[in-house]
Amino acid sequence: MNEIISPGGKRGIPGNLELPLCVERLSNGNTLITDGGDEAGFGSEVIEVDPIGNRVWQFDDQRRLKFAHSSRRMSNGNTLITDTTNNRLLEVTPDKKIVVNSDDWGRGTGKLSDESHLHYPNEAYELEDDTFLITDRNNDRCLVVNRQGKVIWSFGQNELHHPHHANPLPNGNILVSDSDGNRILEVNRKKEIVWSYGDGSTEVLWWPRSAIRLPNGNTLITDTKNHRLLEVTPGGKVVWKFQTEHVDTFYLTHATPQGTFLTSSVDGHHQVIEIDRTCNYVWTFRNYRRPFPVYAGLMNGFFKTREERGEPECWTFATRLSEGGGKLLWDEQNKPRPSPGIELDRDGALFLQQAIAMQPGGVYRVGAEIKTEDVQGSACLQIDFFDAYGGSLFQDITKTPMGELFTGSNPWTSDSFEVRVPVKATYGELRLFLHNKGRAFIKNVMLGKI
Amino acid sequence: MGSFIKGRGERRMVLDSKISEKRKRQCTKLIEISKEIVRQAFDKFKPEELSITWTGGKDSGLTLWIIRQVCQEKGIPLPKTMIIGEGDEFEEIEQFVERIKKEWNVPLEVCRNEDVLKVANYQLNAPVRVKDLNERNRAELSRIGFDEDEFPFEAESYVGNHLMKTVVFNEFLERNKIKGIFQGLRWDEHPARFHDGYFEYKEASELTPEHTRIRPILHFTEKDLWDTYAVFQIPYCVLYERGYRSLGAKTTSLISIEGIPAWRQDLENTEERVGRRQDKEKAMKEMRRLGYM
């Protein structure tokens, strides 16, 4: 009889750091960390920790923050937060009062003066003239607005593709990561690109999500999908590098006054690390308890039981990457019993998954039946493997062992594939994966060692 | 490439000038590497502890031929050979196996999951009720997480594969106290195989007794294999001439290109197993581009 081999914890515990994104070293010596929350959408918060890891401040808007990406301490002592999946900007006082909420703009519609709405904001800085510089990812732009949402300046110009972390430079220019374009741009107020790094190829930069200007004039780039940090000169020469062997998608780097670099380990080891120029870990902050259990073997592959919330028992509906959408469905017409499905109405990703203990080095066969309806991207069965700290062992999703890629509409189809478990794996995560619009259903999941 | 001597179920390719001397040398070298693995196996294990898996297909056929060469050199008989009767066989393969068994004096044991076959009344797609199966089969279904009361008898479904092949294979090992078993796997068949080693030790588990799997032809590509068949005039089943590249159960094996022998198809640029969706490349490219994953 299968059982839980490793229990999970409760979801949404304040202070449990699931997905550190933005990090900032404050002038008081503390560190401000933005937590995006777990894979099922719980636990996004902003925490401030002191040098020995005590939590001295926390904010989650009564559990309403959803995949918040950034928080910055302002000159007035308030904190500026991008509540990303909720598509809003918040300015919060130390006693947790919200004094600016972009939902109030445009007479409560949340619209800016140009009639647009923030769409996936991932960064916001206060500027000297009391305005905000916001990186508006899905609108492919960064913009400057006042506290009432009046657009004063914006830059996109078809040069930005899903940008991150636009930040102001002392010379008045703006440094922004053109993430999907694999490059960094420095833009002046006249919207001219005055410097750039990256030729679009993934070898030079792969989905960079942050660039900051250092006091020495060089630029420190967080080269996310290459799991490294790079320091490049104005002439484009790489003069320093921090590269991890394990796969980790660092989000953003902050340079401390001591000359160290603070960065957040996102899909890797759920921690904040501070490294020096020898690449030694000067300080780390990790406060993670894995919320989901790992089962000794595949459970409920025939979907006979459901949780109260409607999810199949022992399976997790992971919505973090669904861009605010995503629904769990049941095909009630299926015989002999309903089968679960996932539906997405926008360009994002959805998973129905289960963590299972699998023997490192062992070879397994996994099988299921899959049905799809109007899938514009693709749907498939896949298994990801994770190391001891909870980091995926694969560079990107296309390297994850997977079965057939289903597109469009397909009737119930059997699919199975073999997989060899990497020696460093501590568990496998078996998933039904769907991206970019459509519906995918699953039934009769089986897993066996061969 | 060559002409064919007619015979029922088997063909020999006549050595043809299209295989260059250089290529012949390469194939000979590949064979030598395999033979060395086989010799090591005979050093490690006693002959009665060894066994060979055979399907009648091209990979296990080459493996069997190589082992036979080594046995002839050593003056010993072929180790016990097993073939799995999954219940959905091509007549052409059965005929080919019968002829080679006689010609090479192969000590062959045909292994079947008789319990499943009986309950299915030897009929494909017949419903098999789990409670009618024996204890071993029921335990195996539970092991893979199968959770229905019945299933249709199909050789290549997940359940079919497990009961008709995996379970049968492991029972054979147990019954014959086999310590080392030869398999005809190749690296280029399947991504999961890329890290396979020539000798793979398997610890004992509830599913399987302790044993070592020996794969002498891992380093052969599909093209290497067919060129080797030509160089050494190794017999093969006629189905490959008709266009099959990969042979499994009769119902689910598909002809790759009708009428074009396997060795004349585009081995280097197309997949051995047909049925892979063509739009996978495009979908993969799109997935890779997605930053957030």
Short mmCIF file of all heavy atoms in Angstrom, two decimals, chain B residues 154-204:
data_model
loop_
_atom_site.label_atom_id
_atom_site.label_comp_id
_atom_site.label_asym_id
_atom_site.label_seq_id
_atom_site.Cartn_x
_atom_site.Cartn_y
_atom_site.Cartn_z
N GLU B 154 -4.43 -6.11 -24.54
CA GLU B 154 -3.64 -5.50 -25.63
C GLU B 154 -2.18 -5.68 -25.27
O GLU B 154 -1.81 -5.46 -24.13
CB GLU B 154 -3.90 -3.98 -25.69
CG GLU B 154 -5.27 -3.58 -26.14
CD GLU B 154 -5.55 -2.12 -25.77
OE1 GLU B 154 -5.09 -1.65 -24.71
OE2 GLU B 154 -6.24 -1.45 -26.55
N ALA B 155 -1.35 -6.06 -26.27
CA ALA B 155 0.05 -6.34 -25.94
C ALA B 155 0.85 -5.08 -25.62
O ALA B 155 1.74 -5.10 -24.79
CB ALA B 155 0.69 -7.12 -27.07
N GLU B 156 0.55 -3.97 -26.31
CA GLU B 156 1.41 -2.81 -26.18
C GLU B 156 0.85 -1.69 -25.31
O GLU B 156 1.43 -0.63 -25.22
CB GLU B 156 1.73 -2.23 -27.57
CG GLU B 156 2.62 -3.13 -28.40
CD GLU B 156 4.09 -3.13 -27.94
OE1 GLU B 156 4.45 -2.34 -27.05
OE2 GLU B 156 4.86 -3.95 -28.46
N SER B 157 -0.29 -1.90 -24.66
CA SER B 157 -0.77 -0.88 -23.74
C SER B 157 0.14 -0.90 -22.52
O SER B 157 0.94 -1.81 -22.35
CB SER B 157 -2.21 -1.17 -23.31
OG SER B 157 -2.21 -2.34 -22.50
N TYR B 158 -0.02 0.08 -21.66
CA TYR B 158 0.82 0.13 -20.48
C TYR B 158 0.69 -1.15 -19.67
O TYR B 158 1.67 -1.79 -19.28
CB TYR B 158 0.44 1.36 -19.63
CG TYR B 158 1.45 1.63 -18.57
CD1 TYR B 158 2.42 2.60 -18.73
CD2 TYR B 158 1.46 0.87 -17.40
CE1 TYR B 158 3.36 2.83 -17.75
CE2 TYR B 158 2.41 1.10 -16.42
CZ TYR B 158 3.35 2.07 -16.60
OH TYR B 158 4.29 2.29 -15.64
N VAL B 159 -0.57 -1.51 -19.42
CA VAL B 159 -0.85 -2.71 -18.62
C VAL B 159 -0.36 -3.96 -19.35
O VAL B 159 0.27 -4.84 -18.77
CB VAL B 159 -2.36 -2.83 -18.31
CG1 VAL B 159 -2.68 -4.17 -17.71
CG2 VAL B 159 -2.79 -1.72 -17.39
N GLY B 160 -0.64 -4.02 -20.65
CA GLY B 160 -0.23 -5.17 -21.47
C GLY B 160 1.27 -5.36 -21.43
O GLY B 160 1.78 -6.45 -21.23
N ASN B 161 1.98 -4.26 -21.64
CA ASN B 161 3.43 -4.27 -21.61
C ASN B 161 3.95 -4.81 -20.29
O ASN B 161 4.87 -5.64 -20.25
CB ASN B 161 3.91 -2.82 -21.74
CG ASN B 161 5.09 -2.72 -22.63
OD1 ASN B 161 6.07 -3.42 -22.46
ND2 ASN B 161 4.99 -1.85 -23.62
N HIS B 162 3.34 -4.35 -19.23
CA HIS B 162 3.84 -4.75 -17.91
C HIS B 162 3.59 -6.23 -17.66
O HIS B 162 4.50 -6.97 -17.28
CB HIS B 162 3.19 -3.90 -16.82
CG HIS B 162 3.77 -4.15 -15.47
ND1 HIS B 162 5.05 -3.76 -15.14
CD2 HIS B 162 3.27 -4.76 -14.37
CE1 HIS B 162 5.31 -4.13 -13.89
NE2 HIS B 162 4.25 -4.73 -13.40
N LEU B 163 2.36 -6.68 -17.87
CA LEU B 163 2.03 -8.07 -17.54
C LEU B 163 2.61 -9.05 -18.55
O LEU B 163 3.09 -10.13 -18.18
CB LEU B 163 0.51 -8.26 -17.47
CG LEU B 163 -0.20 -7.61 -16.29
CD1 LEU B 163 -1.70 -7.88 -16.37
CD2 LEU B 163 0.35 -8.07 -14.96
N MET B 164 2.54 -8.69 -19.84
CA MET B 164 2.94 -9.66 -20.87
C MET B 164 4.44 -9.67 -21.13
O MET B 164 4.94 -10.64 -21.69
CB MET B 164 2.20 -9.37 -22.19
CG MET B 164 0.68 -9.31 -22.07
SD MET B 164 -0.01 -10.69 -21.15
CE MET B 164 0.29 -12.04 -22.28
N LYS B 165 5.13 -8.59 -20.74
CA LYS B 165 6.58 -8.56 -21.00
C LYS B 165 7.40 -8.47 -19.73
O LYS B 165 8.20 -9.35 -19.41
CB LYS B 165 6.90 -7.36 -21.90
CG LYS B 165 6.36 -7.51 -23.31
CD LYS B 165 7.16 -6.66 -24.26
CE LYS B 165 6.29 -5.96 -25.24
NZ LYS B 165 6.96 -4.98 -26.05
N THR B 166 7.20 -7.37 -18.98
CA THR B 166 8.04 -7.14 -17.81
C THR B 166 7.93 -8.27 -16.79
O THR B 166 8.93 -8.80 -16.30
CB THR B 166 7.69 -5.80 -17.15
OG1 THR B 166 7.73 -4.79 -18.15
CG2 THR B 166 8.66 -5.44 -16.04
N VAL B 167 6.70 -8.65 -16.47
CA VAL B 167 6.48 -9.69 -15.46
C VAL B 167 7.03 -11.03 -15.94
O VAL B 167 7.68 -11.75 -15.19
CB VAL B 167 4.97 -9.80 -15.15
CG1 VAL B 167 4.68 -11.02 -14.31
CG2 VAL B 167 4.48 -8.54 -14.45
N VAL B 168 6.78 -11.34 -17.20
CA VAL B 168 7.22 -12.61 -17.79
C VAL B 168 8.74 -12.69 -17.76
O VAL B 168 9.32 -13.73 -17.43
CB VAL B 168 6.67 -12.72 -19.23
CG1 VAL B 168 7.37 -13.81 -20.01
CG2 VAL B 168 5.16 -12.95 -19.20
N PHE B 169 9.38 -11.59 -18.12
CA PHE B 169 10.84 -11.50 -18.13
C PHE B 169 11.39 -11.81 -16.74
O PHE B 169 12.29 -12.62 -16.55
CB PHE B 169 11.23 -10.09 -18.58
CG PHE B 169 12.69 -9.79 -18.50
CD1 PHE B 169 13.56 -10.20 -19.49
CD2 PHE B 169 13.19 -9.05 -17.43
CE1 PHE B 169 14.91 -9.91 -19.43
CE2 PHE B 169 14.55 -8.75 -17.36
CZ PHE B 169 15.41 -9.17 -18.35
N ASN B 170 10.81 -11.18 -15.72
CA ASN B 170 11.31 -11.36 -14.37
C ASN B 170 11.03 -12.75 -13.82
O ASN B 170 11.83 -13.31 -13.07
CB ASN B 170 10.73 -10.27 -13.46
CG ASN B 170 11.37 -8.94 -13.75
OD1 ASN B 170 12.58 -8.79 -13.64
ND2 ASN B 170 10.59 -7.96 -14.16
N GLU B 171 9.91 -13.31 -14.21
CA GLU B 171 9.61 -14.69 -13.78
C GLU B 171 10.60 -15.67 -14.38
O GLU B 171 11.02 -16.63 -13.74
CB GLU B 171 8.19 -15.07 -14.18
CG GLU B 171 7.15 -14.53 -13.23
CD GLU B 171 5.74 -15.02 -13.54
OE1 GLU B 171 5.46 -15.30 -14.73
OE2 GLU B 171 4.94 -15.11 -12.60
N PHE B 172 10.98 -15.40 -15.64
CA PHE B 172 11.97 -16.25 -16.32
C PHE B 172 13.31 -16.25 -15.56
O PHE B 172 13.93 -17.28 -15.35
CB PHE B 172 12.17 -15.78 -17.76
CG PHE B 172 13.30 -16.46 -18.48
CD1 PHE B 172 13.13 -17.72 -19.03
CD2 PHE B 172 14.54 -15.85 -18.57
CE1 PHE B 172 14.19 -18.36 -19.67
CE2 PHE B 172 15.61 -16.47 -19.21
CZ PHE B 172 15.43 -17.74 -19.76
N LEU B 173 13.73 -15.04 -15.15
CA LEU B 173 14.99 -14.91 -14.42
C LEU B 173 14.95 -15.71 -13.13
O LEU B 173 15.89 -16.43 -12.79
CB LEU B 173 15.26 -13.44 -14.08
CG LEU B 173 15.50 -12.47 -15.22
CD1 LEU B 173 15.69 -11.05 -14.66
CD2 LEU B 173 16.71 -12.85 -16.05
N GLU B 174 13.82 -15.58 -12.42
CA GLU B 174 13.64 -16.27 -11.14
C GLU B 174 13.70 -17.77 -11.31
O GLU B 174 14.43 -18.47 -10.62
CB GLU B 174 12.23 -15.97 -10.60
CG GLU B 174 12.14 -14.94 -9.52
CD GLU B 174 10.68 -14.57 -9.27
OE1 GLU B 174 9.83 -15.50 -9.22
OE2 GLU B 174 10.40 -13.38 -9.16
N ARG B 175 12.90 -18.25 -12.27
CA ARG B 175 12.71 -19.69 -12.49
C ARG B 175 14.03 -20.35 -12.87
O ARG B 175 14.31 -21.48 -12.49
CB ARG B 175 11.69 -19.88 -13.60
CG ARG B 175 10.94 -21.20 -13.58
CD ARG B 175 9.73 -21.20 -14.51
NE ARG B 175 10.00 -20.73 -15.85
CZ ARG B 175 9.48 -19.63 -16.38
NH1 ARG B 175 8.67 -18.87 -15.66
NH2 ARG B 175 9.78 -19.28 -17.62
N ASN B 176 14.84 -19.68 -13.68
CA ASN B 176 16.07 -20.26 -14.20
C ASN B 176 17.31 -19.82 -13.46
O ASN B 176 18.42 -20.15 -13.85
CB ASN B 176 16.22 -19.91 -15.68
CG ASN B 176 15.14 -20.58 -16.52
OD1 ASN B 176 15.22 -21.77 -16.82
ND2 ASN B 176 14.11 -19.83 -16.87
N LYS B 177 17.12 -19.06 -12.39
CA LYS B 177 18.23 -18.55 -11.54
C LYS B 177 19.29 -17.87 -12.42
O LYS B 177 20.48 -18.15 -12.31
CB LYS B 177 18.83 -19.70 -10.73
CG LYS B 177 17.83 -20.35 -9.78
CD LYS B 177 18.53 -21.20 -8.76
CE LYS B 177 17.65 -22.01 -7.84
NZ LYS B 177 16.25 -22.14 -8.11
N ILE B 178 18.83 -16.97 -13.27
CA ILE B 178 19.72 -16.29 -14.20
C ILE B 178 20.43 -15.13 -13.50
O ILE B 178 19.79 -14.33 -12.82
CB ILE B 178 18.92 -15.76 -15.41
CG1 ILE B 178 18.26 -16.91 -16.16
CG2 ILE B 178 19.78 -14.91 -16.33
CD1 ILE B 178 19.25 -17.90 -16.76
N LYS B 179 21.73 -15.04 -13.73
CA LYS B 179 22.50 -13.94 -13.11
C LYS B 179 22.86 -12.86 -14.13
O LYS B 179 23.08 -11.70 -13.77
CB LYS B 179 23.80 -14.49 -12.51
CG LYS B 179 23.58 -15.38 -11.30
CD LYS B 179 23.57 -14.54 -10.02
CE LYS B 179 23.21 -15.33 -8.80
NZ LYS B 179 21.75 -15.53 -8.66
N GLY B 180 22.97 -13.28 -15.41
CA GLY B 180 23.32 -12.30 -16.44
C GLY B 180 22.48 -12.54 -17.67
O GLY B 180 22.38 -13.67 -18.15
N ILE B 181 21.88 -11.50 -18.18
CA ILE B 181 21.01 -11.67 -19.35
C ILE B 181 21.36 -10.68 -20.45
O ILE B 181 21.48 -9.47 -20.19
CB ILE B 181 19.52 -11.61 -18.95
CG1 ILE B 181 18.64 -11.89 -20.17
CG2 ILE B 181 19.13 -10.29 -18.30
CD1 ILE B 181 17.34 -12.55 -19.85
N PHE B 182 21.54 -11.20 -21.68
CA PHE B 182 21.90 -10.38 -22.82
C PHE B 182 20.66 -9.73 -23.43
O PHE B 182 19.64 -10.38 -23.61
CB PHE B 182 22.58 -11.23 -23.90
CG PHE B 182 23.92 -11.77 -23.51
CD1 PHE B 182 24.06 -13.07 -23.05
CD2 PHE B 182 25.06 -10.97 -23.60
CE1 PHE B 182 25.31 -13.58 -22.70
CE2 PHE B 182 26.31 -11.47 -23.25
CZ PHE B 182 26.44 -12.77 -22.80
N GLN B 183 20.81 -8.42 -23.77
CA GLN B 183 19.70 -7.71 -24.42
C GLN B 183 20.23 -6.98 -25.65
O GLN B 183 21.38 -6.54 -25.65
CB GLN B 183 19.13 -6.65 -23.48
CG GLN B 183 18.50 -7.18 -22.21
CD GLN B 183 18.02 -6.03 -21.34
OE1 GLN B 183 18.77 -5.11 -21.05
NE2 GLN B 183 16.77 -6.10 -20.91
N GLY B 184 19.36 -6.80 -26.63
CA GLY B 184 19.80 -6.12 -27.85
C GLY B 184 19.49 -4.64 -27.89
O GLY B 184 19.01 -4.13 -28.91
N LEU B 185 19.80 -3.91 -26.82
CA LEU B 185 19.48 -2.47 -26.80
C LEU B 185 20.57 -1.65 -27.45
O LEU B 185 21.74 -2.02 -27.41
CB LEU B 185 19.31 -2.00 -25.35
CG LEU B 185 18.16 -2.64 -24.57
CD1 LEU B 185 18.18 -2.15 -23.14
CD2 LEU B 185 16.84 -2.29 -25.21
N ARG B 186 20.17 -0.52 -28.03
CA ARG B 186 21.13 0.40 -28.64
C ARG B 186 20.88 1.81 -28.10
O ARG B 186 19.75 2.19 -27.85
CB ARG B 186 20.94 0.43 -30.17
CG ARG B 186 21.40 -0.83 -30.90
CD ARG B 186 21.19 -0.69 -32.41
NE ARG B 186 19.80 -0.69 -32.78
CZ ARG B 186 19.14 0.34 -33.27
NH1 ARG B 186 19.73 1.50 -33.44
NH2 ARG B 186 17.87 0.22 -33.60
N TRP B 187 21.96 2.58 -28.01
CA TRP B 187 21.85 3.95 -27.49
C TRP B 187 20.94 4.82 -28.33
O TRP B 187 20.20 5.64 -27.80
CB TRP B 187 23.24 4.61 -27.42
CG TRP B 187 24.06 4.18 -26.26
CD1 TRP B 187 23.62 3.91 -25.00
CD2 TRP B 187 25.47 3.97 -26.26
NE1 TRP B 187 24.68 3.53 -24.21
CE2 TRP B 187 25.82 3.56 -24.96
CE3 TRP B 187 26.48 4.09 -27.23
CZ2 TRP B 187 27.13 3.27 -24.59
CZ3 TRP B 187 27.78 3.79 -26.86
CH2 TRP B 187 28.10 3.39 -25.55
N ASP B 188 20.99 4.68 -29.64
CA ASP B 188 20.26 5.66 -30.46
C ASP B 188 18.78 5.33 -30.62
O ASP B 188 18.07 6.02 -31.35
CB ASP B 188 20.95 5.87 -31.82
CG ASP B 188 20.64 4.79 -32.83
OD1 ASP B 188 20.25 3.68 -32.44
OD2 ASP B 188 20.79 5.06 -34.04
N GLU B 189 18.31 4.32 -29.91
CA GLU B 189 16.89 3.97 -30.03
C GLU B 189 15.98 4.95 -29.28
O GLU B 189 14.84 5.16 -29.64
CB GLU B 189 16.64 2.62 -29.36
CG GLU B 189 16.91 1.42 -30.19
CD GLU B 189 16.60 0.18 -29.39
OE1 GLU B 189 17.44 -0.22 -28.55
OE2 GLU B 189 15.51 -0.37 -29.58
N HIS B 190 16.44 5.44 -28.18
CA HIS B 190 15.54 6.13 -27.25
C HIS B 190 16.37 7.02 -26.32
O HIS B 190 17.36 6.57 -25.80
CB HIS B 190 14.82 5.06 -26.43
CG HIS B 190 13.62 5.58 -25.71
ND1 HIS B 190 13.70 6.42 -24.62
CD2 HIS B 190 12.30 5.42 -25.93
CE1 HIS B 190 12.49 6.71 -24.21
NE2 HIS B 190 11.62 6.12 -24.98
N PRO B 191 15.94 8.27 -26.11
CA PRO B 191 16.72 9.17 -25.24
C PRO B 191 16.99 8.59 -23.85
O PRO B 191 18.05 8.82 -23.28
CB PRO B 191 15.83 10.41 -25.11
CG PRO B 191 14.94 10.37 -26.28
CD PRO B 191 14.78 8.94 -26.70
N ALA B 192 16.06 7.82 -23.31
CA ALA B 192 16.27 7.26 -21.96
C ALA B 192 17.44 6.29 -21.93
O ALA B 192 17.96 5.97 -20.88
CB ALA B 192 15.01 6.58 -21.45
N ARG B 193 17.85 5.83 -23.10
CA ARG B 193 18.93 4.82 -23.18
C ARG B 193 20.31 5.44 -23.24
O ARG B 193 21.32 4.75 -23.14
CB ARG B 193 18.75 3.97 -24.45
CG ARG B 193 17.44 3.24 -24.54
CD ARG B 193 17.50 1.98 -23.74
NE ARG B 193 16.18 1.45 -23.49
CZ ARG B 193 15.80 0.96 -22.32
NH1 ARG B 193 16.62 0.95 -21.31
NH2 ARG B 193 14.60 0.48 -22.18
N PHE B 194 20.39 6.75 -23.46
CA PHE B 194 21.68 7.37 -23.74
C PHE B 194 22.74 7.10 -22.67
O PHE B 194 23.91 7.14 -22.94
CB PHE B 194 21.55 8.88 -23.91
CG PHE B 194 20.89 9.30 -25.20
CD1 PHE B 194 20.42 10.58 -25.34
CD2 PHE B 194 20.75 8.42 -26.25
CE1 PHE B 194 19.80 10.98 -26.52
CE2 PHE B 194 20.14 8.80 -27.44
CZ PHE B 194 19.66 10.10 -27.57
N HIS B 195 22.29 6.91 -21.42
CA HIS B 195 23.28 6.71 -20.36
C HIS B 195 23.43 5.26 -19.97
O HIS B 195 24.06 4.93 -18.97
CB HIS B 195 22.89 7.54 -19.14
CG HIS B 195 22.82 9.00 -19.44
ND1 HIS B 195 23.93 9.73 -19.75
CD2 HIS B 195 21.77 9.85 -19.51
CE1 HIS B 195 23.56 10.97 -19.99
NE2 HIS B 195 22.27 11.07 -19.86
N ASP B 196 22.83 4.36 -20.72
CA ASP B 196 22.95 2.94 -20.40
C ASP B 196 24.39 2.48 -20.54
O ASP B 196 25.12 2.96 -21.39
CB ASP B 196 22.07 2.11 -21.35
CG ASP B 196 20.60 2.13 -20.93
OD1 ASP B 196 20.26 2.90 -20.02
OD2 ASP B 196 19.82 1.37 -21.53
N GLY B 197 24.76 1.52 -19.71
CA GLY B 197 26.11 0.96 -19.79
C GLY B 197 26.04 -0.45 -20.33
O GLY B 197 24.98 -1.07 -20.34
N TYR B 198 27.18 -0.99 -20.77
CA TYR B 198 27.21 -2.35 -21.30
C TYR B 198 26.76 -3.36 -20.26
O TYR B 198 26.11 -4.34 -20.57
CB TYR B 198 28.61 -2.71 -21.79
CG TYR B 198 29.01 -1.98 -23.04
CD1 TYR B 198 29.98 -0.98 -23.02
CD2 TYR B 198 28.42 -2.29 -24.27
CE1 TYR B 198 30.35 -0.31 -24.18
CE2 TYR B 198 28.78 -1.61 -25.43
CZ TYR B 198 29.75 -0.62 -25.38
OH TYR B 198 30.11 0.04 -26.52
N PHE B 199 27.16 -3.12 -19.02
CA PHE B 199 26.74 -4.01 -17.92
C PHE B 199 25.94 -3.17 -16.94
O PHE B 199 26.44 -2.17 -16.43
CB PHE B 199 27.97 -4.60 -17.20
CG PHE B 199 28.73 -5.60 -18.00
CD1 PHE B 199 29.71 -5.19 -18.91
CD2 PHE B 199 28.47 -6.96 -17.87
CE1 PHE B 199 30.41 -6.13 -19.67
CE2 PHE B 199 29.17 -7.90 -18.63
CZ PHE B 199 30.13 -7.49 -19.53
N GLU B 200 24.72 -3.56 -16.69
CA GLU B 200 23.93 -2.83 -15.71
C GLU B 200 23.43 -3.79 -14.64
O GLU B 200 22.64 -4.67 -14.92
CB GLU B 200 22.76 -2.10 -16.35
CG GLU B 200 22.03 -1.25 -15.32
CD GLU B 200 20.97 -0.34 -15.92
OE1 GLU B 200 21.12 0.03 -17.10
OE2 GLU B 200 20.01 0.00 -15.22
N TYR B 201 23.90 -3.55 -13.43
CA TYR B 201 23.53 -4.43 -12.33
C TYR B 201 22.19 -3.97 -11.76
O TYR B 201 21.97 -2.79 -11.54
CB TYR B 201 24.61 -4.35 -11.24
CG TYR B 201 24.24 -5.06 -9.97
CD1 TYR B 201 24.20 -6.45 -9.93
CD2 TYR B 201 23.94 -4.35 -8.82
CE1 TYR B 201 23.86 -7.11 -8.77
CE2 TYR B 201 23.60 -5.00 -7.65
CZ TYR B 201 23.56 -6.38 -7.63
OH TYR B 201 23.22 -7.04 -6.47
N LYS B 202 21.29 -4.94 -11.58
CA LYS B 202 20.00 -4.62 -10.98
C LYS B 202 19.89 -5.30 -9.62
O LYS B 202 20.00 -6.52 -9.54
CB LYS B 202 18.86 -5.13 -11.88
CG LYS B 202 18.74 -4.44 -13.20
CD LYS B 202 17.93 -3.17 -13.08
CE LYS B 202 17.75 -2.53 -14.44
NZ LYS B 202 17.13 -1.23 -14.37
N GLU B 203 19.67 -4.49 -8.61
CA GLU B 203 19.49 -5.06 -7.26
C GLU B 203 18.20 -5.86 -7.21
O GLU B 203 17.27 -5.56 -7.95
CB GLU B 203 19.33 -3.93 -6.26
CG GLU B 203 20.63 -3.44 -5.70
CD GLU B 203 20.40 -2.21 -4.85
OE1 GLU B 203 19.25 -1.97 -4.44
OE2 GLU B 203 21.38 -1.49 -4.64
N ALA B 204 18.13 -6.77 -6.27
CA ALA B 204 16.88 -7.51 -6.10
C ALA B 204 15.81 -6.58 -5.58
O ALA B 204 16.08 -5.70 -4.77
CB ALA B 204 17.09 -8.66 -5.12
#
